Amino acid sequence: MTAASGRLPEAGTDGDSDRRAELTAALGRVRARIARACEAAGRDRSDVTLVAITKTYPVADVVTLAALGVRDIGENRDQEAAPKAAAVAAAGALVRWHFVGRLQRNKCRSVVRYADLVHSVDRPEIVRALAAGVARERPDRPLDVLLQVSIDGDPARGGVPVPGVDRLAGEVADRPELTLRGVMTVAPLGWEPARAFETLADAAAALRVGYPTATVVSAGMSTDLEAAIRYGATHVRVGSALLGTRPPLG
Ligand SMILES: *Cc1c(COP(=O)(O)O)cnc(C)c1O
């Protein structure tokens, strides 16, 4: 995989139909899991959006997923996402881009050029940088953002600890360039996912008291999407269960 070096693998000709069959089957399995989880939770299937996390996978996979009806695509690194978004657009596929990775201040101006929803706002510096980026790059189109919540409060892994959510929400609300849409989390290692998602659900409910438009709950990945849906996830971010196991990051 060449994504780590900033290059994107090119679409081949051999194997394209095999890959399409593989993605079709995986998508069927993931959609069935989401449907079952919604049913078990007494929730409407249309309440949950599948975001395909395509990091390390090629443009061709995004185009195939889009053709299969997956219109929400997520990436976690700007260096990979920016050229990928441009290539997907050039291929004529219309998708919504979700930025789900740790944000660096100097990448914000690039991210706002293609992102439709940024899931990972976790500190005032990033609120300011995104707002400034929007003002320069897309002044007529405010950026939808989620606050990434750290359930265990470990600063190393990103996210604002629960007690800081309200204050950060206020910072976002003060910026006309940004629209607060809700919260996101990654279940901490070593935690029972259900416990983490229940904590996020409480934080999301508390946030909605002051910010009624903050209705998005982005939670759940390949291994724990059922627990997330049980606790109110509106967006599940699924990578490996759809696209295959990624090689370990170098
Ligand atoms: C990679 C990633 C995912 C998808 O993880 P899988 O376990 O492959 O489903 C979801 N959210 C974030 C923030 C990620 O970086």
Side-chain angles (χ1 to χ4, degrees):
M1 204 58 52
T2 54
S5 65
R7 286 195 305 125
L8 299 173
E10 283 166 31
T13 45
D14 289 356
D16 277 5
S17 66
D18 285 357
R19 182 58 173 157
R20 189 185 168 96
E22 216 168 75
L23 291 174
T24 303
L27 179 59
R29 289 191 296 270
V30 168
R31 282 178 168 158
R33 284 176 61 191
I34 294 171
R36 271 198 305 274
C38 286
E39 200 181 338
R43 299 183 57 201
D44 202 301
R45 173 63 185 85
S46 63
D47 289 350
V48 178
T49 300
L50 168 62
V51 182
I53 306 298
T54 54
K55 62 191 182 201
T56 76
Y57 285 96
V59 168
D61 282 354
V62 179
V63 173
T64 300
L65 286 170
L68 295 171
V70 179
R71 297 304 175 141
D72 290 271
I73 302 292
E75 288 282 332
N76 72 333
R77 292 171 62 247
D78 177 64
Q79 298 92 309
E80 178 178 355
K84 204 183 268 185
V88 168
L94 272 184
V95 303
R96 278 170 48 82
W97 288 97
H98 297 251
F99 190 87
V100 303
R102 193 93 207 267
L103 274 164
Q104 293 163 269
R105 189 170 46 81
N106 64 345
K107 300 292 187 220
C108 286
R109 190 169 169 185
S110 172
V111 168
V112 305
R113 292 189 188 120
Y114 57 85
D116 293 292
L117 179 62
V118 171
H119 292 225
S120 44
V121 172
D122 67 352
R123 53 200 195 278
E125 170 185 53
I126 295 304
V127 172
R128 287 192 292 272
L130 287 173
V134 169
R136 297 190 77 121
E137 299 288 338
R138 48 186 281 182
D140 303 329
R141 196 160 62 99
L143 176 69
D144 287 339
V145 303
L146 307 181
L147 305 183
Q148 180 174 350
V149 179
S150 168
I151 299 297
D152 62 358
D154 178 355
R157 302 181 62 243
V160 59
V162 173
V165 167
D166 202 55
R167 181 170 188 161
L168 190 60
E171 305 243 2
V172 172
D174 283 345
R175 298 288 179 161
E177 299 89 352
L178 306 178
T179 306
L180 182 61
R181 292 295 182 198
V183 292
M184 175 272 227
T185 204
V186 178
L189 291 173
W191 274 57
E192 180 66 39
R195 242 187 91 215
F197 299 141
E198 188 175 17
T199 305
L200 182 71
D202 290 345
L207 183 65
R208 276 196 300 273
V209 173
Y211 305 93
T213 59
T215 54
V216 171
V217 178
S218 169
M221 320 199 306
S222 290
T223 57
D224 55 18
L225 67 88
E226 284 85 358
I229 288 172
R230 181 157 15 112
Y231 287 101
T234 63
H235 289 62
V236 292
R237 308 179 308 269
V238 180
S240 51
L242 271 181
L243 291 130
T245 308
R246 292 176 298 275
L249 293 177

